[in-house]
Amino acid sequence: MNVAQQIINGLVLGSGYACIALGWTILLGVARLVNFAHGQLYMLGAFVTWFAIAKIGLPYPVAILAAMIVLALLGALMQTAMMRLVMTQNLTSLMIVTLGLGYVLQGGSALLFGGNPQTLPGTLARAKVDLGPLWFTWQDVLVLAVTLALYGVVWLFTQKTRYGSVIRAVAEDPKLAELFGVNARVVYLLVFVFECSAVALGAALVAPRSPILTSMGFNEVIMTFVVVVLGGIGSIGGALLAGLGLGLFTAFFGAFVAPAYTTAAAFALLLALLVIRPAGLATK
Amino acid sequence: MTVIESQTPSRTNSPLPRAVITLVLIAVGFFLPRLLGGTSVAYSTLTTIAIFAVMCYGVDIVLSYLGEVSLGHTLFWAIGGYTAANLSVKYGLDGWTTALATIAFCLAAALFLGAVTLRTREFVFSLVTYAAAVVAYEVAFNWDAIGGSDGIVGIAALKLPLGVATFSGASQEDLWPVAFALLLLTLAFIARFRRSRLGTTALMVQMNPALAASLGVDPRKVRLAVFVISAPITGLAGWLYAYQRAYVGPDMFESYFLVMMLTAVVLIGRRILVGPLIGTALLIAQQNLLSLGGDWNKIILGSVLAIVLIFWPTGLAGLFRRFSKSKF
Amino acid sequence: MNRTIALAVGLLASLATPVMAQDIKVGTIFPLSGGAGPDGQTVTNAVKLMVGQINEKGGLLGRKLVVISKDDERTPAVGVSRANEMIAEKADVVIEGWNSPVTLAMQPILARAGIMDMTAVSKSELILGGETNPYAVRINSSNGFDAEVIAKYVVDTLKAKTVAFLTQNDVYGNGFQTAVEAEFKKLNFAGKVVLTEKFAFKDTDFRVQLTNLKAANPDAIIVTNSSNSSGLPAMVEQYRQADLKSTFVGAVGIMLTTVFKVAGDANNGIVSADIFFPDLAPFTSIPESTAFVAAYKKAYGADPDKSAALGAAAVQVWAHAVETTKSLDRKTVAEAIRGKPVKGTVFGDVEFLPNGQMKPRYVVFKVVDGKNAKLEALP
């Protein structure tokens, strides 16, 4: 039964990784943009959700929506500020700018929300399910279900609709796409807004599992790196598989080798893979 | 597209006055702590600025001449610190030996990392260098033989045998000449690099890969060479930092140093010789003299980084140039 | 937020008002921002309270005390800058240290400048090693004594036959485990250590380890976890959710206020030990302790926890040594503390070992009402 429980633990961890990584996958893969403030956006999403529940008194589902809206607005603001760099495809500067904005978000949230740890009340993180000797929470079920549904919807949207090819055209060459009558600025703005609200959703779902602090975000962003690169930059199915796979890897590496070294092991795996296949797992 | 800096024509035409000006600047620089009152804070602040500036020059080479963001230079910084600490505490080796070992280890690590990342560009390069730093951090944190999570204490004073006499320095006042010399050496090295074949070729590869290819340049070789020579610069800064602080721990991998490196380089503008030095001086001065508390310092550091790159991609130097142009 | 502004204003004000030449300067360096900010503020507040009380009684050596408080941002490099500032401002004593790396980085700087350095909280054994600071003094308990108390409880009181460790994989966690295992040998422990599970300080998900521990089902699980604001409360909750039957034995001093605030009733049944309690015997019958609790409550509206007591005791111990020696000199003051008894601290009458370590008195306790942080002392 130990193995069965570890599989559950792995799926719980992995669905969390995949859920948080979705926004980045789209941003990086479809629009070829990077956002090193991702971890701090996750933190902010969690704190906005907490604020909405604990301070304003909104029910959990409404609080999730509130967090998504707040972060979408923030994302629109960030992207508008960075638009010139995006249009000139100055990726080096973009990376550093988002790193700096992450610092600003962290400092600002610490001033705004204080340094105390908080827990999110009213979520399903304490609603436990027992299946014989196995256990998980309804929150875990919710995370897994929403993650699978989201990846499905996003996959359909980018692969099966006209909009998906428009976004890819913009990523390929924004200037050329504009010649064909596509407003590249709007496309970039929408993609970035999607990234921010997706991470807010991820935070609202995953963060209730443990106490939240304004100093968090680092672990989440490095796990997102691993998921996105392992899955093959921008491959939606790849990211989902990589997220779940990484969760199972963490659980079994932890159960049979040494849980304290899982981050290092995941990164070593990533380094090794990049040497063999620089474009990630999903490439043929 | 990155903006190409036009080389400012030097105002002095003959080499002699230029050498005199450089010498005067060096002399003023050397006596700066005394000119600022000669207090221990003046010495420690300026020593820290010199060390951190050298640290930033490693990143500067990669960012300015390859156009890549290395998020892994904290690794070389830590290699310097850990090499100095371990070799001096456990084997009692002098400063020259630990410095040579630092250079050797940094070259080896950079060669490995450079070879691994040879085929990666842009964000993948950044991610992989970052991953390398994370793995190294976990190793340093968990491996008790090189210090473990508590690090290494009791690093003795820096000893540099100079033929008959031996330089020995522990206090900030003693270390200032060493830090200053290291800074001058680094500046001289960077100035030489800018004019070297490698420096100009690297710039060409970054700006116009097609031209570089048509001239028969192998961009991979150039990238690897630039990355490899950048590592010992940051490494030597870490080496001296270990003696200055007399304590080395896994905190040398912290993003505090990483963000410091990137900000110092972009603040004044890329491809400006003294840019990183001035950038470092401004940042350290803000943190030490005008500190508003940890959270506000984060906001300031982050906004400086973002605002400069968004509004003045050529840095403060570009801004200054624009102002002076509009006046005349 | 208001507190930070108040702090900034206070700092500016303290810079602006000229300090009288004869004032004695008490410096504090703790994290005041970020995740450890609330903890550092607690210690700093306690120092300020004690200094205020000394001033009300006419100061020290006929001179007034002033507090200079600085933020190390939990970053060693920043701590070093702050230590240098203390030297520039000519502090007479520096009370510092929430986490060990920052203390270890500041120690040589302060020692070279000849400033008396009192470590309040940081637990690393290297601090008292004497290599960088031959006059080190530390108030918080050390892993060695902590391990003795915990091992004794597990072997003699709980009479556990099987024991497992859930250990933080760093010098603190591993050091504590090694010390407990050494004590087991000394106590001729007849049982068995069946499993050791490790985790990293930053971890917040422990299901993998807890699943293994549940399968092993030992009588007691000895836990080290110094991440009091996120890792430990998460661990406690998951421990209850995974429904482990083993007794959760927490290492000394990990059950801080934040753990009770965040994990609430999930803490019920945890056994641990500590060196200060505002509401447990024998501290309720120590007049200095009850006076401190009352004054702290009046000033800050909450019970002082162990961290606060450590800050207060650092001031008391130092002030006592200054008063008896009539000196502010580092060597003189340190020699009056190291290896000597000190009467009338918030910890009661205490004694310092020759290496500068305070010898605390321990109380083993069980959590009975986690939500309200109600504890019951165990014999």
Side-chain angles (χ1 to χ4, degrees):
Chain A
M1 269 309 153
N2 210 339
V3 173
Q5 180 67 50
Q6 294 297 18
I7 291 176
I8 293 180
N9 296 341
L11 286 176
V12 167
L13 284 169
S15 56
Y17 297 152
C19 188
I20 300 168
L22 178 64
W24 232 64
T25 306
I26 302 300
L27 189 70
L28 194 53
V30 194
R32 298 260 279 282
L33 293 181
V34 274
N35 178 13
F36 278 102
H38 187 77
Q40 281 79 33
L41 287 168
Y42 169 84
M43 176 274 296
L44 192 61
F47 267 92
V48 173
T49 313
W50 165 79
F51 191 84
I53 298 175
K55 297 283 158 170
I56 305 178
L58 298 176
Y60 181 47
V62 184
I64 297 178
L65 267 181
M68 288 172 70
I69 293 168
V70 169
L71 264 82
L73 291 175
L74 183 72
L77 205 70
M78 280 170 70
Q79 184 65 3
T80 311
M82 297 187 297
M83 195 53 92
R84 200 175 57 177
L85 296 177
V86 174
M87 291 308 286
T88 53
Q89 293 284 295
N90 191 341
L91 297 182
T92 324
S93 293
L94 266 179
M95 257 190 273
I96 308 179
V97 168
T98 53
L99 204 66
L101 290 176
Y103 246 58
V104 175
L105 289 179
Q106 186 140 56
S109 306
L111 291 175
L112 213 59
F113 299 111
N116 283 313
Q118 305 293 351
T119 47
L120 284 91
T123 66
L124 301 169
R126 275 151 202 84
K128 199 183 148 195
V129 187
D130 286 291
L131 278 179
L134 306 176
W135 75 276
F136 48 89
T137 68
W138 280 114
Q139 187 77 21
D140 301 333
V141 179
L142 183 69
V143 173
L144 186 64
V146 172
T147 304
L148 291 175
L150 263 181
Y151 271 86
V153 168
V154 169
W155 184 80
L156 282 177
F157 181 81
T158 52
Q159 303 298 318
K160 301 287 167 191
T161 67
R162 209 183 70 83
Y163 302 104
S165 40
V166 167
I167 297 173
R168 277 195 303 279
V170 169
E172 212 51 58
D173 192 335
K175 293 261 153 43
L176 193 65
E178 290 216 305
L179 284 182
F180 281 91
V182 177
N183 191 336
R185 285 162 196 272
V186 173
V187 172
Y188 275 127
L189 194 69
L190 289 178
V191 171
F192 201 81
V193 164
F194 173 80
E195 132 87 347
C196 288
S197 43
V199 77
L201 175 62
L205 291 172
V206 179
R209 287 177 180 166
S210 51
I212 57 173
L213 284 168
T214 51
S215 53
M216 72 180 185
F218 180 76
N219 284 328
E220 285 72 17
V221 82
I222 60 177
M223 277 315 183
T224 298
F225 284 177
V226 181
V227 168
V228 171
V229 179
L230 268 184
I233 316 276
S235 159
I236 292 159
L240 181 62
L241 275 182
L244 294 175
L246 190 66
L248 289 169
F249 172 78
T250 306
F252 282 94
F253 188 86
F256 298 113
V257 191
Y261 296 95
T262 39
T263 317
F267 269 78
L269 197 74
L270 182 75
L271 276 178
L273 182 93
L274 279 166
V275 181
I276 309 163
R277 305 182 83 154
L281 268 183
T283 50
K284 295 190 180 77
Chain B
M1 273 288 288
T2 31
V3 184
I4 305 173
E5 290 296 325
S6 57
Q7 284 285 332
T8 36
S10 59
R11 278 174 203 135
T12 48
N13 296 322
S14 57
L16 192 67
R18 197 168 163 170
V20 172
I21 289 173
T22 312
L23 278 177
V24 168
L25 276 178
I26 290 174
V28 169
F30 184 75
F31 291 109
L32 197 58
R34 208 163 302 164
L35 296 175
L36 290 174
T39 58
S40 69
V41 167
Y43 273 102
S44 73
T45 307
L46 288 171
T47 309
T48 306
I49 289 175
I51 294 175
F52 280 22
V54 175
M55 168 183 89
C56 296
Y57 276 107
V59 176
D60 174 50
I61 291 191
V62 177
L63 190 61
S64 298
Y65 296 92
L66 287 186
E68 298 281 11
V69 181
S70 166
L71 300 178
H73 265 62
T74 46
L75 170 61
F76 306 124
W77 166 247
I79 286 179
Y82 272 89
T83 307
N86 275 297
L87 294 184
S88 66
V89 170
K90 292 191 185 129
Y91 305 102
L93 297 178
D94 66 36
W96 299 122
T97 323
T98 53
L100 279 178
T102 297
I103 295 174
F105 285 137
C106 283
L107 288 176
L111 206 57
F112 172 73
L113 194 56
V116 171
T117 55
L118 209 51
R119 285 188 288 176
T120 60
R121 296 292 307 268
E122 288 164 357
F123 55 81
V124 184
F125 173 83
S126 301
L127 288 186
V128 179
T129 48
Y130 193 54
V134 171
V135 172
Y137 166 78
E138 299 263 332
V139 170
F141 188 91
N142 287 304
W143 192 12
D144 287 343
I146 60 163
S149 62
D150 270 0
I152 304 156
V153 297
I155 300 168
L158 173 63
K159 279 199 181 61
L160 295 171
L162 299 158
V164 278
T166 294
F167 169 87
S168 171
S171 71
Q172 307 289 342
E173 284 86 344
D174 298 337
L175 284 175
W176 165 246
V178 184
F180 189 70
L182 186 64
L183 177 64
L184 283 185
L185 270 177
T186 308
L187 283 171
F189 182 82
I190 304 275
R192 176 85 190 74
F193 172 82
R194 284 151 64 93
R195 279 177 277 116
S196 75
R197 209 189 145 88
L198 182 62
T200 46
T201 322
L203 213 50
M204 181 167 63
V205 168
Q206 184 198 342
M207 299 301 177
N208 196 341
L211 176 66
S214 68
L215 290 172
V217 176
D218 183 354
R220 285 187 188 179
K221 263 192 195 152
V222 174
R223 285 170 56 90
L224 186 62
V226 173
F227 187 71
V228 167
I229 62 160
S230 79
I233 300 174
T234 302
L236 283 174
W239 164 81
L240 189 55
Y241 188 59
Y243 290 105
Q244 188 205 16
R245 207 170 75 168
Y247 165 73
V248 161
D251 74 285
M252 287 188 80
F253 290 96
E254 261 179 40
S255 59
Y256 169 83
F257 297 111
L258 180 63
V259 176
M260 172 76 77
M261 293 181 209
L262 293 172
T263 317
V265 176
V266 301
L267 181 58
I268 305 301
R270 283 173 247 179
R271 287 187 287 285
I272 294 171
L273 181 60
V274 290
L277 173 61
I278 298 172
T280 311
L282 288 175
L283 291 172
I284 297 283
Q286 187 272 321
Q287 284 174 20
N288 285 5
L289 308 175
L290 302 164
S291 174
L292 299 168
D295 298 326
W296 278 108
N297 287 353
K298 271 207 177 85
I299 296 179
I300 292 171
L301 196 63
S303 351
V304 165
L305 205 52
I307 290 171
V308 166
L309 280 176
I310 289 173
F311 295 104
W312 313 295
T314 49
L316 294 183
L319 186 72
F320 178 76
R321 221 169 284 149
R322 217 165 51 192
F323 267 121
S324 49
K325 252 185 214 154
S326 64
K327 255 184 207 165
F328 299 112
Chain C
M1 184 174 169
N2 286 333
R3 201 188 276 179
T4 322
I5 290 173
L7 199 80
V9 171
L11 275 174
L12 285 177
S14 69
L15 283 175
T17 48
V19 178
M20 299 298 275
Q22 64 267 35
D23 284 354
I24 298 176
K25 292 173 188 167
V26 178
T28 64
I29 308 179
F30 290 100
L32 301 176
S33 58
D39 300 312
Q41 279 158 8
T42 303
V43 191
T44 309
N45 281 342
V47 169
K48 285 185 178 154
L49 182 71
M50 276 297 139
V51 165
Q53 289 186 355
I54 293 174
N55 279 338
E56 276 167 28
K57 286 183 203 141
L60 264 184
L61 309 178
R63 291 157 68 180
K64 214 175 129 257
L65 302 183
V66 286
V67 176
I68 312 170
S69 115
K70 293 193 188 286
D71 179 6
D72 65 33
E73 300 172 32
R74 217 173 174 280
T75 305
V78 177
V80 167
S81 301
R82 302 295 167 257
N84 278 314
E85 288 165 32
M86 286 294 179
I87 298 168
E89 294 176 39
K90 300 198 165 46
D92 293 288
V93 60
V94 170
I95 299 169
E96 49 75 36
W98 176 258
N99 53 334
S100 297
V102 180
T103 296
L104 290 168
M106 294 192 295
Q107 227 184 359
I109 310 279
L110 292 170
R112 280 173 192 166
I115 292 180
M116 180 65 202
D117 178 1
M118 307 276 296
T119 303
V121 188
S122 303
K123 277 187 100 107
S124 169
E125 298 300 312
L126 295 174
I127 294 166
L128 300 176
E131 276 168 327
T132 40
N133 181 10
Y135 302 112
V137 171
R138 173 171 58 196
I139 312 295
N140 202 3
S141 63
S142 78
N143 262 348
F145 296 114
D146 290 359
E148 202 181 311
V149 176
I150 296 297
K152 221 173 155 125
Y153 170 79
V154 170
V155 175
D156 292 348
T157 315
L158 200 62
K159 300 201 192 311
K161 293 276 165 285
T162 47
V163 177
F165 286 97
L166 182 49
T167 297
Q168 186 171 311
N169 191 32
D170 58 14
V171 173
Y172 155 70
N174 292 328
F176 181 78
Q177 180 176 346
T178 315
V180 170
E181 283 172 329
E183 289 297 326
F184 278 169
K185 273 211 184 102
K186 268 197 224 159
L187 293 166
N188 292 320
F189 176 48
K192 222 176 112 191
V193 176
V194 290
L195 188 65
T196 296
E197 285 289 320
K198 297 199 176 177
F199 61 91
F201 171 81
K202 59 181 198 301
D203 286 353
T204 53
D205 194 304
F206 307 94
R207 299 182 198 215
V208 173
Q209 291 91 331
L210 292 171
T211 304
N212 286 349
L213 287 166
K214 192 179 180 185
N217 196 25
D219 295 334
I221 299 176
I222 300 176
V223 181
T224 40
N225 191 336
S226 63
S227 172
N228 61 304
S229 45
S230 71
L232 182 56
M235 181 186 271
V236 170
E237 289 198 331
Q238 289 160 19
Y239 191 93
R240 295 301 169 214
Q241 286 181 326
D243 202 20
L244 273 79
K245 305 283 182 245
S246 322
T247 307
F248 186 117
V249 181
V252 172
I254 62 171
M255 301 299 290
L256 293 172
T257 320
T258 42
V259 184
F260 292 109
K261 253 190 211 153
V262 177
D265 278 340
N267 290 301
N268 292 354
I270 288 181
V271 175
S272 182
D274 214 331
I275 58 173
F276 178 83
F277 303 90
D279 50 2
L280 279 191
F283 299 96
T284 42
S285 54
I286 299 171
E288 288 84 1
S289 176
T290 49
F292 167 65
V293 172
Y296 189 94
K297 232 177 168 167
K298 197 175 154 214
Y300 305 112
D303 266 339
D305 63 1
K306 193 253 313 260
S307 318
L310 293 172
V315 178
Q316 291 176 322
V317 167
W318 169 78
H320 179 266
V322 170
E323 222 158 50
T324 44
T325 58
K326 305 266 175 267
S327 165
L328 286 167
D329 175 62
R330 168 175 173 240
K331 186 166 176 270
T332 319
V333 170
E335 279 172 352
I337 300 172
R338 291 160 63 98
K340 304 270 163 45
V342 179
K343 280 192 182 241
T345 75
V346 296
F347 292 100
D349 298 342
V350 293
E351 201 189 317
F352 280 83
L353 297 176
N355 69 354
Q357 172 66 49
M358 188 178 93
K359 221 173 145 183
R361 78 184 71 191
Y362 290 91
V363 176
V364 179
F365 65 87
K366 185 184 217 159
V367 181
V368 287
D369 177 4
K371 210 165 192 169
N372 300 308
K374 280 273 168 301
L375 314 174
E376 171 190 290
L378 298 177

